[in-house]
Amino acid sequence: MTTQASPRERLLDAAGELFYLGGVNVGVETLCKAAGVSKKSMYQLFRSKDEVIAESLARRGPSYQALLLPADDDGRTPRERMLHVFERQDEVVADGKYLGCPLVSTAIELKNAEHPGSVVARRLKQELTDFFESEAAAAGARDPELLAQQLTIVFDGASARAVVRAQSLDGIGVTTAAALLDAAGVAA
Amino acid sequence: MTTQASPRERLLDAAGELFYLGGVNVGVETLCKAAGVSKKSMYQLFRSKDEVIAESLARRGPSYQALLLPADDDGRTPRERMLHVFERQDEVVADGKYLGCPLVSTAIELKNAEHPGSVVARRLKQELTDFFESEAAAAGARDPELLAQQLTIVFDGASARAVVRAQSLDGIGVTTAAALLDAAGVAA
C-alpha cells in the first residue's frame, strides 16, 4: 500500500508546479483539475488563492534550497561552499526548461510586496543571503554582510540572464562570484 | 491645438503602462478600455495581443534606455559612465513604485523565449550590455565582453533585490559594479 498524498498536499504540489510553469495567474480551475481536488474542497482547505500561492512557495522552499546549497560540513572551504551555489545554478540552467528563480518570479508576478507570496519569497531569498553571510564570515571576508548581498545579486542577475537570453550560463555566475570573493579578501 | 495620439499609440502606451503595473496577463478588455479604443479597432491594428506586448515593450525601449544611460560624450570617463547606470537605477528604485526591470519582468512572465515580447526584451537588454562593452573597451578593461556581461548581471540582480526586498538599494548596485570594474583593471 502506498501512502496517498492528502488533497492539501496535492493542491500545494500542483500549485508549485503550475505557478512556476505558467505564472501565479494560472487559474483556480486549472489548479484544482491538476490536483484532482474540487474547488469547494480547495476553499475549505485554504482561505484564498493568495494563501495557496504563499503556501505552495513555502512548501517548495526546502527542496529549492537543497538543490542549491551544499551539505552541512562537507569538508570544503567556505569559498568552495559559496561557489557551489553558482555551480549548481549553472547546472540547473544547463538542464534546460529554466524559467527563473521561483522566488524572484513570484515577487515580480505578484507586484505587491505585502502579498503573502511575496513575504514567503523574501524570507526564502533571505535564507540564501544568510547562508552566504555565514560562510563569508567563516572565510574572514572583509565585510560578510556586504559580500552576502553582492553574491545574492549575482545569483539573481545570472538567473535573469538565463531567462532573458534563454541560454546556458557557461560559468559566468561562478566567475563573477569568484571576482567578488577575491575583492572581499576571500582567497582561493 | 494639440496633436492627438493615434489609436495605435494610445494602445501601445496604455499597454506599456498596464503590463508593467499588472503583468502581461492584463486582459484585452482592460487594455482597450484604458486606451479608449474598441476591441475591434485593436484587432484591426494588431494581429494579436502578443504583438501588442512586443510592440509596447519596443516602444518603451528608447525612454527606458534614456532613463539609465548617460548622454553621449558627456565628458566623463568610461568608468563614470558605466557607474552612472547603477546610480540611475538606485534613484529609480528609491523613487518608489519600482516593480522590476520591464525587460526582465516581461521575459519572466511570458515564460517562452520565442514569444515576440521575449525577443524584444532580449534585444533591448543586449543594448545595455553593448553599452557596457563599448565603455569597457574604451576604459581598457581586461576582457570588455566579460565585464559587460558581469555588469548586466549586477544590474538585473540589483533590480531583483529591489523587488524581492521592496526597499531601496542604498548604493549596493554601484558598490558591486565598482568592485567588478576594479577587478577588470578599470581604475577609478
Side-chain angles (χ1 to χ4, degrees):
Chain A
M1 248 179 70
T2 56
T3 309
Q4 290 258 305
S6 71
R8 181 187 176 80
E9 290 166 333
R10 292 209 308 276
L11 268 168
L12 291 179
D13 288 343
E17 180 84 0
L18 284 174
F19 293 152
Y20 186 65
L21 294 176
V24 296
N25 286 302
V26 167
V28 164
E29 309 245 340
T30 305
L31 169 58
C32 287
K33 197 172 168 187
V37 173
S38 71
K39 268 174 77 169
K40 189 179 165 193
S41 299
M42 185 194 117
Y43 284 113
Q44 281 166 346
L45 291 162
F46 299 97
R47 270 170 305 181
S48 62
K49 184 187 161 191
D50 290 341
E51 192 176 303
V52 178
I53 292 171
E55 293 206 20
S56 64
L57 193 63
R59 185 169 162 87
R60 292 192 70 172
S63 63
Y64 185 60
Q65 308 292 18
L67 185 73
L68 296 170
L69 300 189
D72 288 346
D73 305 319
D74 62 359
R76 290 183 296 165
T77 66
R79 181 185 168 106
E80 288 166 342
R81 291 169 54 77
M82 287 186 269
L83 289 177
H84 171 92
V85 174
F86 297 92
E87 290 156 1
R88 288 295 298 137
Q89 179 182 40
D90 213 89
E91 289 165 8
V92 170
V93 171
D95 280 346
K97 308 268 179 202
Y98 185 70
L99 296 170
C101 166
L103 312 178
V104 174
S105 295
T106 300
I108 283 182
E109 290 170 8
L110 290 173
K111 301 185 193 303
N112 172 3
E114 305 313 317
H115 187 290
S118 304
V119 173
V120 171
R122 192 151 57 241
R123 174 171 62 75
L124 293 176
K125 184 60 78 181
Q126 185 62 43
E127 287 181 12
L128 177 65
T129 307
D130 289 345
F131 164 77
F132 285 137
E133 185 169 344
S134 147
E135 299 291 326
R142 243 188 303 282
D143 183 342
E145 187 183 353
L146 173 64
L147 178 58
Q149 293 171 359
Q150 291 179 323
L151 293 178
T152 307
I153 284 174
V154 171
F155 181 87
D156 288 334
S159 172
R161 175 180 169 86
V163 175
V164 170
R165 300 183 62 92
Q167 63 183 40
S168 58
L169 289 169
D170 297 329
I172 180 108
V174 182
T175 305
T176 308
L180 291 168
L181 288 164
D182 291 344
V186 179
Chain B
M1 248 178 72
T2 55
T3 309
Q4 290 260 305
S6 71
R8 180 185 176 82
E9 290 166 333
R10 292 208 309 276
L11 268 168
L12 291 179
D13 288 344
E17 180 85 0
L18 284 174
F19 293 151
Y20 186 65
L21 295 176
V24 297
N25 287 302
V26 166
V28 164
E29 310 245 338
T30 305
L31 169 58
C32 287
K33 196 172 169 188
V37 172
S38 71
K39 267 174 79 171
K40 188 179 166 193
S41 299
M42 187 195 114
Y43 284 113
Q44 282 167 345
L45 290 163
F46 300 96
R47 272 170 302 181
S48 62
K49 185 187 161 191
D50 290 341
E51 191 175 303
V52 178
I53 292 171
E55 293 206 20
S56 65
L57 193 63
R59 185 170 161 87
R60 292 192 71 173
S63 64
Y64 184 60
Q65 307 292 20
L67 186 74
L68 296 170
L69 300 189
D72 289 345
D73 305 320
D74 63 359
R76 290 185 295 166
T77 66
R79 180 184 169 104
E80 289 166 342
R81 291 169 55 76
M82 287 186 270
L83 289 176
H84 172 92
V85 173
F86 297 92
E87 290 156 2
R88 288 296 296 137
Q89 178 184 39
D90 213 89
E91 290 165 9
V92 170
V93 171
D95 279 348
K97 308 267 178 204
Y98 185 70
L99 296 170
C101 166
L103 311 178
V104 174
S105 295
T106 300
I108 283 181
E109 290 170 9
L110 290 173
K111 302 186 193 303
N112 171 5
E114 305 313 317
H115 187 291
S118 303
V119 173
V120 171
R122 192 150 57 240
R123 173 171 64 75
L124 293 176
K125 185 60 77 180
Q126 185 61 44
E127 287 182 13
L128 177 64
T129 307
D130 289 345
F131 164 78
F132 285 137
E133 185 170 345
S134 146
E135 298 291 326
R142 245 188 303 282
D143 184 341
E145 188 182 352
L146 173 64
L147 178 58
Q149 293 171 358
Q150 291 179 322
L151 293 177
T152 307
I153 283 173
V154 171
F155 181 87
D156 288 335
S159 173
R161 175 180 169 85
V163 175
V164 170
R165 299 183 63 90
Q167 63 183 39
S168 58
L169 289 169
D170 297 330
I172 180 104
V174 182
T175 305
T176 308
L180 291 168
L181 287 164
D182 291 346
V186 179

